[in-house]
Amino acid sequence: MTEPNYVSTTRVSKALGVSVSTVKRWVDDGILPAHKTAGGHRKVLVADVLRLVRDGEFPHLDLGCLEVRPARSDASDLADRLYNALLKGNIEQVNAVIQGSYQQGMPIAKLGDEIVAPSMHRVGSDWERGALDVYEEHRATQLCASSLFSLRSSLEAHAAKDRPTALGGAIEGDQSLLPSLLCEMVLLDEGWKAINLGPETPIESFLQATCELKPTLVWMSVSYQVMPRDFEERYAEFYAEAEKQGVAVVIGGQRADEQLLRRLPHTSSGLTLTQLVSFARWINPRKRRPRRGRPPLDSSGSASER
């Protein structure tokens, strides 16, 4: 597993061209997640710093202070590397691509859409034409899942307490593991509390989880359309309750085609994780840094430090 790369708030301030007190305030405000050591010092993941850079404007950047090695591969090259690592069953190489890309600042949505999905599609195509045995396809899925699970624990460790809840899974008849796991990861990366119900989830379970857990958003992953005849009727009952509670329902996946979407009422839909991110941000905008790092104004109009 790739070890998380932490840096001090002093190095972050030098890299972003702001004061140390500004960095500490972003940490306190939940804009920049941080881990506190036993001695009370703040340590920040390089990946979180790079995410902040993507979200804002920093005229005096010096990322060399973070000792980040420049990315030498584009997404297609990384997808090729992941595909070859999966065929070899090499978990170290799989982690180097998946976890290494994230540690270099790649968003989970891009990682899923442009690296994991194309690699697994090639693996699936190889299996369908008889070039791979089913054990090799299953092994590739488990290797990806294992690497993503390791990232998930890091995301959970730095999650805010007052975050909105989302839940979801693959619909009944769909045994796919990775699409819903990636949805969970994307929403965690966006600051949500994401509850993944896993593959082949009965619509009644979606309904019960929605009633008991009170989510803001429910996602349904559709990679296969092998649905019982009464699915649409039972889905309509679920959607009526979700609409009553003001819960947004998102349907997505490679089999979420226009014909299916016409039959199933929904709030939003999409084929990619990037589209899910856009909708999630519309519902719950992420905290952004103050312009130029200035502290917020108090009621008197004066700047105040915390």
Side-chain angles (χ1 to χ4, degrees), residues 87-104:
L87 293 188
K88 296 174 184 176
N90 191 316
I91 185 60
E92 288 80 12
Q93 292 179 10
V94 170
N95 285 340
V97 175
I98 293 179
Q99 298 179 14
S101 296
Y102 178 74
Q103 294 298 337
Q104 290 291 326

Side-chain angles (χ1 to χ4, degrees), residues 11 21 32 43-44 85 120 134-136 179 191 193 195-196 198 231 240 289 297:
R11 285 174 61 186
S21 62
L32 184 61
K43 293 291 183 180
V44 182
M120 288 303 302
V134 68
Y135 92 83
E136 293 173 293
K193 176 182 180 182
I195 303 169
N196 182 13
F231 178 83
R289 69 177 184 88
L297 298 178

Side-chain angles (χ1 to χ4, degrees), residues 37-218:
T37 66
H41 301 291
R42 294 175 172 92
K43 293 291 183 180
V44 182
L45 273 175
V46 168
D48 287 326
V49 178
L50 296 177
R51 186 189 303 115
L52 191 67
V53 170
R54 291 195 304 268
D55 287 346
E57 297 179 3
F58 293 87
H60 304 296
L61 279 176
D62 182 10
L63 296 182
C65 298
L66 302 177
E67 298 180 3
V68 177
R69 292 177 298 175
R72 300 180 181 274
S73 304
D74 60 20
S76 61
D77 290 336
L78 291 168
D80 286 340
R81 286 173 52 193
L82 180 58
Y83 168 74
N84 290 324
L86 294 172
L87 293 188
K88 296 174 184 176
N90 191 316
I91 185 60
E92 288 80 12
Q93 292 179 10
V94 170
N95 285 340
V97 175
I98 293 179
Q99 298 179 14
S101 296
Y102 178 74
Q103 294 298 337
Q104 290 291 326
M106 180 177 291
I108 298 289
K110 182 181 174 99
L111 180 58
D113 285 338
E114 300 185 24
I115 299 177
V116 176
S119 302
M120 288 303 302
H121 179 74
R122 288 177 66 183
V123 170
S125 297
D126 288 348
W127 171 74
E128 288 178 350
R129 63 186 177 84
L132 292 179
D133 188 82
V134 68
Y135 92 83
E136 293 173 293
E137 191 271 341
H138 286 184
R139 181 179 66 183
T141 299
Q142 294 302 320
L143 287 171
C144 281
S146 175
S147 191
L148 289 168
F149 274 126
S150 296
L151 279 182
R152 184 177 67 173
S153 61
S154 176
L155 291 171
E156 285 280 16
H158 297 88
K161 294 181 180 180
D162 57 341
R163 50 187 175 153
T165 298
L167 66 85
I171 62 172
E172 53 194 77
D174 186 346
Q175 300 180 8
S176 303
L177 171 68
L178 291 178
S180 193
L181 174 58
L182 282 165
C183 288
E184 176 193 10
M185 297 284 296
V186 160
L187 290 168
L188 284 172
D189 197 32
E190 287 297 309
W192 290 67
K193 176 182 180 182
I195 303 169
N196 182 13
L197 305 180
E200 205 165 1
T201 304
I203 196 67
E204 290 77 13
S205 295
F206 277 107
L207 177 58
Q208 184 172 345
T210 298
C211 292
E212 293 181 3
L213 302 178
K214 308 298 183 184
T216 302
L217 181 153
V218 171

